[in-house]
Amino acid sequence: MTSKIGLFYGSTTCYTEMAGEKICEFIDKTYSNVTVEIYDIALNPVQRMSEYQYLILGIPTWDFGELQEDWESIWEEIDTLDLTGTLVALYGLGDQIGYPEWFQDALGYLCEKVKMQGASTVGTWPTKGYEFKQSKALTDNGEAFVGLSLDDENQSELTDKYIERWCIQIIDEFRLS
Ligand SMILES: Cc1cc2nc3c(=O)[nH]c(=O)nc-3n(C[C@H](O)[C@H](O)[C@H](O)COP(=O)(O)O)c2cc1C
């Protein structure tokens, strides 16, 4: 049986979109029993998220620790979703050198938001190898990000490798492998 994952992203300058496409491509080619359906949240109703038991959500941080604009537009609509029983893996785009005090903050806000709606999250990612001062996207013990942290401004050479490693991790944590 084929399992479906819904990937929803918001993206202003396309980096989060490109990462989403790479995630889809990698999962589709690596796992014959899993397909990923990708949605730009600017163009699709947020209620579509409720159709999936497995979600991947992509969000960049903008403007000193703020949500990306398309996520901001639908932020309150997320409150209407019932995500009980849904497993969610999150990824974020940020710039650790340019914005070290707000690195990946929006990733943390989105994680909290979906947990409030009943979702369980997977896919935490180690902070080792990053340099930043503060982030609202850290796990309680401060040793990991709540999701995959990508920085195409400063570490673009790591993006593909991180995506592949993280996809294998989340498919395992979704128990789809
Ligand atoms: C004006 C501006 C503000 C930004 N603010 C932050 C920030 O507060 N924290 C952070 O981690 N990254 C910040 N970034 C970096 C973006 O998250 C990064 O460029 C990301 O790749 C954009 O993703 P997108 O192309 O999908 O919109 C900022 C970038 C710009 C241009």
Side-chain angles (χ1 to χ4, degrees):
M1 204 187 87
T2 301
S3 299
K4 281 198 219 168
I5 300 173
L7 188 156
F8 293 77
Y9 69 87
S11 188
T12 302
T13 51
C14 290
Y15 288 99
T16 309
E17 178 178 13
M18 287 187 294
E21 284 164 356
K22 287 177 181 174
I23 290 168
C24 276
E25 243 171 67
F26 180 76
I27 294 177
D28 283 344
K29 82 164 190 241
T30 311
Y31 300 92
S32 55
N33 60 322
V34 184
T35 57
V36 184
E37 296 173 336
I38 186 165
Y39 301 94
D40 181 342
I41 49 128
L43 306 173
N44 292 278
V46 72
Q47 285 73 21
R48 292 213 79 156
M49 284 188 202
S50 317
E51 295 169 16
Y52 295 89
Q53 190 189 345
Y54 307 99
L55 289 172
I56 299 174
L57 304 180
I59 186 167
T61 302
W62 274 88
D63 300 327
F64 306 96
E66 298 291 327
L67 300 170
Q68 186 267 345
E69 56 190 339
D70 301 321
W71 279 107
E72 193 166 22
S73 304
I74 56 119
W75 201 243
E76 284 174 15
E77 283 179 64
I78 298 175
D79 297 339
T80 65
L81 300 178
D82 179 5
L83 298 176
T84 310
T86 309
L87 290 179
V88 180
L90 301 120
Y91 72 95
L93 271 283
D95 172 354
Q96 62 199 290
I97 306 294
Y99 303 89
E101 289 168 35
W102 303 272
F103 184 49
Q104 299 284 5
D105 280 2
L107 176 64
Y109 295 138
L110 186 56
C111 182
E112 281 310 306
K113 188 81 169 171
V114 296
K115 287 206 292 201
M116 292 284 287
Q117 298 314 116
S120 301
T121 57
V122 303
T124 62
W125 189 252
T127 52
K128 195 166 174 275
Y130 299 84
E131 278 185 41
F132 59 94
K133 290 202 183 101
Q134 284 181 54
S135 174
K136 297 222 162 61
L138 299 181
T139 54
D140 291 342
N141 65 10
E143 286 171 10
F145 294 105
V146 294
L148 174 63
S149 170
L150 297 174
D151 180 348
D152 273 340
E153 296 287 332
N154 308 294
Q155 299 181 327
S156 59
E157 72 286 358
L158 298 175
T159 294
D160 289 6
K161 192 171 76 176
Y162 281 6
I163 283 177
E164 295 193 2
R165 206 200 303 164
W166 185 73
C167 284
I168 293 167
Q169 177 188 329
I170 63 165
I171 293 295
D172 197 42
E173 291 176 347
F174 282 160
R175 303 207 183 286
L176 295 176
S177 54

